[in-house]
Amino acid sequence: MSLLQVEGLVAGYGPAQVLHGVDLTVGEGEVVVVLGANGAGKTTLMRAIAGLLTSRGTIAFAGHRLGNRRAELVVRAGISLVPQGRGTFTALTVLENLRVGAAVRTDRDGVAADIEHWFGVFPVLRDRAKQVAGTLSGGEQQMLAVARALMSRPRLLLCDEISLGLAPKIVAGLFEVLGRINAESGTALLLVEQNAELALALAGRAYLLEVGRVAGQGAAGEFRDNDAVRRAYLGY
Ligand code: ATP
């Protein structure tokens, strides 16, 4: 059984239906990427899984139905979202952001150890621990957003366009960290990504979302070799 099992997911904003019955799975420890044009519904899919949008259909995680649970309960179940556009609280310090990410945990020593761990992975965050997040560079904020999402110790990390607007070197560093997190702790990753090249290199499987429907799926390697995918998302 898959770790995440989404079936017939329908979601949108008021009368505007964006997802028209999406089926998608993520296995334990798997890395899966969702590609799709602007407006295809990728962010809507991530927000629905994270419990930030009401939806119909089935969202099951680790064998339990999550559908329409509140976001906090979804985090408690083991899913954490790095939202599009830097998910930090800009008025809070770096340290406060990390503590907020651990709000569902009660093991204070474990939380302190994890903060140290992420300071080791992203040393710039340690240097700026007392600085408010809004004063960090884009890349630093994205590192903080990733670390903050991981502070809840998720079994599945959802990343919505974490490369958006960042310098290639920063993006490569973030992807390297994501690969390490997956390899070392077995955290499954579901990535929505414009940078298809990097995402397909990290992922085992991929989905293509077109106007709210799954238009294709397969092994990441096969996706890279598919002419239509290459032209639309890889630019060669
Ligand atoms: P992008 O790459 O541009 O972020 P996306 O694939 O993530 O695209 P979504 O952000 O999920 O797409 O948007 C899908 C559709 O839903 C779009 O037509 C968009 O205009 C619409 N939409 C998004 N957010 C809202 C909202 N808050 N209210 C109404 N419509 C919305």
Side-chain angles (χ1 to χ4, degrees), residues 51-136:
L52 296 167
L53 269 183
T54 53
S55 58
R56 287 186 285 123
T58 309
I59 302 173
F61 185 71
H64 298 284
R65 279 186 76 142
L66 282 185
N68 286 321
R69 283 222 225 160
R70 283 186 297 121
E72 187 204 322
L73 294 173
V74 175
V75 174
R76 283 186 190 280
I79 299 179
S80 196
L81 169 70
V82 183
Q84 192 172 32
R86 325 256 188 275
T88 60
F89 294 106
T90 51
L92 300 185
T93 67
V94 167
L95 195 55
E96 286 164 346
N97 266 280
L98 293 174
R99 291 204 178 113
V100 169
V104 297
R105 291 172 59 182
T106 50
D107 57 326
R108 291 183 60 165
D109 291 350
V111 169
D114 280 7
I115 289 175
E116 268 309 301
H117 173 76
W118 296 116
F119 280 168
V121 173
F122 300 115
V124 68
L125 296 183
R126 187 198 302 277
D127 299 342
R128 305 195 186 287
K130 301 229 165 72
Q131 211 168 304
V132 293
T135 62
L136 302 181

Side-chain angles (χ1 to χ4, degrees), residues 13 18 37-44 84 161:
Y13 307 91
V18 173
N38 285 348
K42 305 180 300 295
T43 295
T44 304
Q84 192 172 32
E161 305 265 18

